[in-house]
């Protein structure tokens, strides 16, 4: 299949203090998030000068991919500039007829996958008939390059600790209801949490660690809505109470550093570990590893040259459709939004 370009599609993040609040309002619109929760999250961003690392990391990824392919690479976000609608409009003006889309999430689920399909459909609708055909690339949570990059990051973090340390994988929590509908209904749901667990298993196996934990972080919903647990901070307290002397946190659910990583892990979790007297190290995310850009090019080649789709896991994947279509009917249905605050 011939393609004219690559679109890197991501979440977006502010790049200055004045951008933080409007960015957060874009992210949470219609979700019933209390204003005081936005106030707290805004403080996290302002702690870092109002700048999220995510856009810079994505630009670095784009540069690395451009060095590996002749395809022109466009960059668009869901929640902040450069917006995906503008990127697709640029593609249309440049005469792009068909492009592949690399979404910066390795997993399935509503926020991890279906929302990117919605972004694609919305951007094409905004551009109109001139919009290019857009093929979203598949989930890559079990791709050998992704696993290897995470495994090396875990090894390096374990090397920072003298003596034994507990390996704890983290991922962004989601409402229980969203995880229950993640994946096609015939699969029985929970595709997101099952893929996270599989990625953790593969990375731990590559490192040679048989006993580890998978926990969650960064929940943002109303307190009456159940989210995936245990929370990483609660889990550190449990480990400490059990006599665990040190911990290595591996953010396998993230492909690059977000504020959720540098605040929830590098700041809050690190400070809690110090308060508890526990050794602490945080593994790097996979995105900056050169193998990650290699993987993006390989995912493209699955469609342009028929390259073999490499994977190591046994959990179902998906995510590859055209023009924002769903992987299957009722796949990854959005969670019900609260109608009023409790």
């Amino acid at each position: 299949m011939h393609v004219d370009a690559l679109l890197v599609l991501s979440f977006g993040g502010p790049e200055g203090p004045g951008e933080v609040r409007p960015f957060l309002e874009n992210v949470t619109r219609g979700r019933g998030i209390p204003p005081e929760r936005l106030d707290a999250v805004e403080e996290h961003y302002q702690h870092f000068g109002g700048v999220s690392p995510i856009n810079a990391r994505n630009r670095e990824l784009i540069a690395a991919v451009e060095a590996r392919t002749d395809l022109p690479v466009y960059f668009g976000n869901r929640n902040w500039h450069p917006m995906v609608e503008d990127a697709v409009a640029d593609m249309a003006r440049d005469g792009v007829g068909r492009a592949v889309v690399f979404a910066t999430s390795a997993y399935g689920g509503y926020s991890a996958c279906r929302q990117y399909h919605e972004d694609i459909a919305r951007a094409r609708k905004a551009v109109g008939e001139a919009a290019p055909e857009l093929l979203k690339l598949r989930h890559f949570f079990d791709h050998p390059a992704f696993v290897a990059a995470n495994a090396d990051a875990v090894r390096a973090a374990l090397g920072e600790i003298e003596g034994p340390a507990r390996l704890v994988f983290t991922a962004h929590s989601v409402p229980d209801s969203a995880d229950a509908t993640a994946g096609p209904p015939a699969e029985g749901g929970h595709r997101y949490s099952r893929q996270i667990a599989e990625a953790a298993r593969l990375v731990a196996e590559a490192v040679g660690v048989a006993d580890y934990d998978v926990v969650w972080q960064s929940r943002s919903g109303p307190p009456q809505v159940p989210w995936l647990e245990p929370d990483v901070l609660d889990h550190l307290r449990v480990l400490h109470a059990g006599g665990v002397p040190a911990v290595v946190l591996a953010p396998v659910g993230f492909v690059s550093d977000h504020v959720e990583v540098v605040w929830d892990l590098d700041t809050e979790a690190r400070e809690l570990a110090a308060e508890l007297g526990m050794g602490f190290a945080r593994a790097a995310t996979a995105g900056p590893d050169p193998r990650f850009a290699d993987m993006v090019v390989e995912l493209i080649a699955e469609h342009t040259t028929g390259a073999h789709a490499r994977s190591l896991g046994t959990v179902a994947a998906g995510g590859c459709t055209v023009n924002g279509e769903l992987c299957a009917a009722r796949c990854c249905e959005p969670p019900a939004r609260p109608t009023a605050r409790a």
Side-chain angles (χ1 to χ4, degrees), residues 59-83:
R59 292 188 182 103
E60 291 166 2
L61 172 64
I62 288 168
V65 171
E66 286 177 329
R68 290 161 166 80
T69 178
D70 293 330
L71 289 177
V73 183
Y74 295 79
F75 178 27
N77 290 318
R78 175 187 305 155
N79 297 300
W80 202 245
H81 307 283
M83 302 298 288

Side-chain angles (χ1 to χ4, degrees), residues 32 34 219-227 342:
R219 70 156 290 160
S220 59
Q224 73 272 20
V225 178
W227 284 50

Side-chain angles (χ1 to χ4, degrees), residues 157-165 245-246 279:
L158 287 169
E160 297 176 24
I161 304 289
E162 293 185 9

Side-chain angles (χ1 to χ4, degrees), residues 113-337:
C113 183
R114 179 165 169 166
Q115 272 196 291
Y116 287 110
H117 293 299
E118 293 175 355
D119 296 336
I120 290 167
R122 184 183 67 253
R124 293 189 78 253
K125 181 177 180 180
V127 172
E129 292 183 0
E133 178 180 288
L134 297 176
L135 170 70
K136 181 181 173 295
L137 300 173
R138 66 179 174 89
H139 305 155
F140 53 89
F141 67 95
D142 60 354
H143 191 282
F146 184 67
V147 172
N150 277 289
D152 280 353
V154 168
R155 289 188 191 96
L158 287 169
E160 297 176 24
I161 304 289
E162 293 185 9
R166 183 72 176 181
L167 176 57
V168 178
F169 293 97
T170 75
H172 204 301
S173 187
V174 299
D176 287 356
S177 59
D179 190 52
T181 60
E187 227 177 72
H190 306 284
R191 174 179 272 188
Y192 175 66
S193 60
R194 288 187 292 111
Q195 289 180 341
I196 293 288
E198 182 72 342
R201 182 188 71 80
L202 291 168
V203 173
E205 184 179 82
V207 176
V209 174
D211 200 13
Y212 58 89
D213 304 315
V214 177
V215 303
W216 307 94
Q217 63 174 90
S218 312
R219 70 156 290 160
S220 59
Q224 73 272 20
V225 178
W227 284 50
L228 294 177
E229 296 179 336
D231 175 77
V232 60
L233 299 182
D234 294 338
H235 191 64
L236 289 184
R237 296 184 181 97
V238 170
L239 292 179
H240 172 67
V244 173
V247 64
V248 165
L249 298 185
V252 74
F254 300 85
V255 303
S256 66
D257 286 6
H258 300 195
V259 164
E260 288 90 343
V261 175
V262 297
W263 176 262
D264 294 1
L265 302 185
D266 294 349
T267 306
E268 287 191 324
R270 186 182 295 274
E271 289 176 356
L272 177 60
E275 177 186 319
L276 297 173
M278 298 177 72
F280 179 94
R282 196 268 284 182
T285 47
D289 190 294
R291 289 168 292 190
F292 193 82
D294 293 338
M295 180 196 70
V296 175
V297 174
E298 188 176 318
L299 293 174
I300 297 169
E302 291 177 10
H303 299 279
T304 57
T305 66
H308 173 64
R310 295 196 298 150
S311 63
L312 298 173
T314 60
V315 174
C320 181
T321 73
V322 177
N323 294 341
E325 295 177 359
L326 298 183
C327 299
R330 298 176 55 212
C331 187
C332 298
E333 290 194 327
R337 301 302 188 193

